[in-house]
Amino acid sequence: MSDAHGELIAKLSKLLTEQNYNPAVVANHRLYARAFLDYLAERDLSVRTVAPLQIEQYFSHAIQRFRVRYGRDPSSRWHKLPHTAIRKLLRLAQGKWPPVPEVIGPDAALRHAICQEYETWLHEECGLADATIDALMREARHFLDWQFGRGGADGLRALSVRDIDLYMDMRTAGLRRISLARVAAWHRSLLRYLHRTGRIPTDLTPHVIGPMLYAYEDVPSTLDSGQIAAVLEVTAKDRSPRGLRDYAILQLLATYGLREGEICKLRLDDINWRAESLCIRHTKTNACSYMPLLTPVGEALLDYLRFGRPQVEGREIFVRSCAPYTFMQNLYGMVRQRLSAAGINPPGKRGPHVFRHARAVELLRASVPQKIIGDVLGHRSTASTNSYLKLATEDLRAVALDVPGSEVLS
């Protein structure tokens, strides 16, 4: 092995060790990385210029060697660890992996330019949240690939209502009504931008037809107070580092009704222990609000920070319970597992938002004004808060008026 490859293997080992990987996992990663580097050396290929196609060729070669050695095909999970090791190795060697697709030809360059300008417009002029921009950009790339594949750059200026109908028929096949409405809204946003920038001569947004969604037509999943108490009680019994982390997250969900992203992005600096307050960065509005640090939440956070949180340099509070110790980006699986462990199976979705819905209903039943509920939940308008009214069905029944003429005469 060359000195350069030896240095790269050493860097990989150092990185994995710093991320607190098990020594056996580090040894396996070294083994897989070394085998890949040997393959490149035999073919006089540089690790700094390796492309995805060459990775596929390597695994075809590795599978063939496996068959010769063991007389059978490898299992479906056999290549998972080698893939992970090689990806980490290539990130060290090239700085980024997978590489950014190369822009080739005038049509591809134009598509790329439109996407970059559209993303900048969504950020700087529309002020949308990152998650919303990601969804809009996915739809934009999908449409531009489809349209340029049919008629190239010239086809964009000749875009017609018939083209819009064809795309929507293709794009929305098999989607539910709410998903259809989202795709239509994303598509209108792109067409509006293309018209504003003069890339299409006619404003075609009125011709993107999505389904009519009626107010309060879809009642979301929620939990009652007994179910919330049960899942907190069961999770509190798990004193492992992961259990301490999950209990602190569930306390935040149940107490404040925070969004998933607001919890994942919560940082150590956001807790003011002396003032007993918590700074929440609302992911949809990019605004900050300050909540009182209530005793159950504070105690749960303190337990996790003392006895459950791995020693990492990052300032995010909640990190993965196994290496690599990066901050958490998704709570759905954790919430679903904790609900299942408590024997709770609400209808519909079972992610972190069920706690947010439950908190909204609790505040409504306590006669808290909608404006204050909206402030607690980080809503920009009362219309967003109104959607939670449909969950308080028992309260609505209690104030329902009798229908005239419905009395039974004796």
Side-chain angles (χ1 to χ4, degrees):
M1 178 179 290
S2 68
D3 292 341
H5 285 180
E7 291 176 7
L8 200 53
I9 292 289
K11 286 182 181 180
L12 179 64
S13 298
K14 184 172 182 281
L15 174 68
L16 296 173
T17 303
E18 289 173 349
Q19 292 178 340
N20 295 313
Y21 275 87
N22 185 289
V25 176
V26 176
N28 283 334
H29 275 63
R30 287 172 58 95
L31 182 66
Y32 296 132
R34 184 176 290 112
F36 176 64
L37 291 173
D38 289 344
Y39 169 86
L40 296 180
E42 290 172 4
R43 287 154 181 79
D44 198 24
L45 298 172
S46 171
V47 68
R48 300 186 185 281
T49 58
V50 166
L53 177 61
Q54 291 162 329
I55 304 296
E56 295 178 15
Q57 292 171 349
Y58 168 70
F59 275 101
S60 297
H61 167 77
I63 290 171
Q64 186 60 36
R65 288 184 59 186
F66 188 98
R67 288 175 182 151
V68 171
R69 184 172 182 179
Y70 297 103
R72 61 178 176 85
D73 286 338
S75 69
S76 59
R77 298 182 62 186
W78 168 82
H79 62 284
K80 186 176 181 181
L81 273 177
H83 259 299
T84 303
I86 291 170
R87 281 199 302 270
K88 291 180 182 298
L89 182 78
L90 291 171
R91 287 192 192 107
L92 287 173
Q94 300 186 10
K96 184 176 183 179
W97 188 267
V100 177
E102 186 178 359
V103 178
I104 302 173
D107 287 356
L110 178 59
R111 273 203 316 272
H112 184 67
I114 291 173
C115 287
Q116 282 192 316
E117 293 168 14
Y118 180 49
E119 187 170 9
T120 301
W121 180 71
L122 293 172
H123 269 293
E124 297 181 0
E125 297 206 26
C126 300
L128 300 177
D130 290 343
T132 304
I133 292 175
D134 288 344
L136 286 162
M137 291 306 302
R138 282 195 300 273
E139 186 61 34
R141 293 188 188 98
H142 197 286
F143 171 73
L144 291 172
D145 288 345
W146 178 83
Q147 178 60 23
F148 275 63
R150 297 170 68 241
D154 294 335
L156 192 61
R157 291 199 61 81
L159 195 66
S160 66
V161 175
R162 183 175 179 278
D163 295 325
I164 298 299
D165 290 341
L166 286 173
Y167 175 75
M168 291 298 291
D169 288 343
M170 178 276 299
R171 178 68 179 85
T172 58
L175 295 183
R176 295 175 59 224
R177 291 175 67 251
I178 190 167
S179 299
L180 288 170
R182 280 199 199 101
V183 171
W186 295 336
H187 194 41
R188 287 190 204 102
S189 173
L190 174 64
L191 292 176
R192 188 177 300 114
Y193 173 77
L194 292 174
H195 176 60
R196 285 187 55 175
T197 55
R199 288 191 169 95
I200 56 177
T202 307
D203 183 9
L204 297 172
T205 54
H207 302 285
V208 182
I209 308 299
M212 177 70 73
L213 296 181
Y214 300 97
Y216 317 137
E217 68 171 85
D218 184 23
V219 178
S221 303
T222 187
L223 303 173
D224 60 40
S225 58
Q227 291 173 318
I228 292 175
V231 72
L232 288 173
E233 181 182 357
V234 170
T235 308
K237 295 176 182 177
D238 183 354
R239 302 298 294 175
S240 68
R242 183 177 181 181
L244 294 174
R245 182 202 67 190
D246 292 355
Y247 181 69
I249 291 173
L250 291 172
Q251 279 285 4
L252 286 166
L253 286 169
T255 304
Y256 304 112
L258 301 181
R259 299 182 180 96
E260 176 184 61
E262 292 162 354
I263 292 179
C264 291
K265 293 181 180 179
L266 202 61
R267 298 171 64 85
L268 295 170
D269 308 322
D270 294 332
I271 306 176
N272 189 329
W273 297 103
R274 291 184 180 277
E276 296 185 344
S277 68
L278 197 62
C279 175
I280 306 300
R281 294 179 178 84
H282 298 292
T283 51
K284 287 196 174 181
T285 61
N286 293 321
C288 292
S289 61
Y290 292 86
M291 305 286 187
L293 184 61
L294 301 182
T295 300
V297 178
E299 291 178 348
L301 286 170
L302 200 57
D303 277 351
Y304 170 61
L305 293 174
R306 283 178 172 174
F307 309 115
R309 187 176 183 269
Q311 297 298 316
V312 294
E313 294 182 1
R315 301 297 292 172
E316 288 81 8
I317 292 177
F318 298 108
V319 298
R320 286 162 45 92
S321 58
C322 58
Y325 294 123
T326 54
F327 73 93
M328 296 186 69
Q329 299 181 348
N330 185 290
L331 303 181
Y332 191 92
M334 181 277 289
V335 170
R336 184 177 56 188
Q337 290 172 7
R338 293 299 177 180
L339 289 173
S340 178
I344 298 169
N345 297 301
K349 295 181 179 179
R350 302 173 189 179
H353 237 62
V354 296
F355 288 89
R356 184 171 174 83
H357 297 153
R359 182 60 176 149
V361 171
E362 183 182 5
L363 293 172
L364 284 168
R365 289 174 176 167
S367 300
V368 175
Q370 283 189 355
K371 176 64 172 68
I372 296 178
I373 296 175
D375 292 341
V376 170
L377 298 178
H379 288 158
R380 186 176 284 173
S381 67
T382 55
S384 300
T385 311
N386 287 341
S387 63
Y388 293 99
L389 280 170
K390 58 190 172 183
L391 291 162
T393 52
E394 295 304 320
D395 305 75
L396 295 175
R397 290 192 185 101
V399 298
L401 300 176
D402 290 333
V403 178
S406 63
E407 298 87 354
V408 178
L409 299 177
S410 56

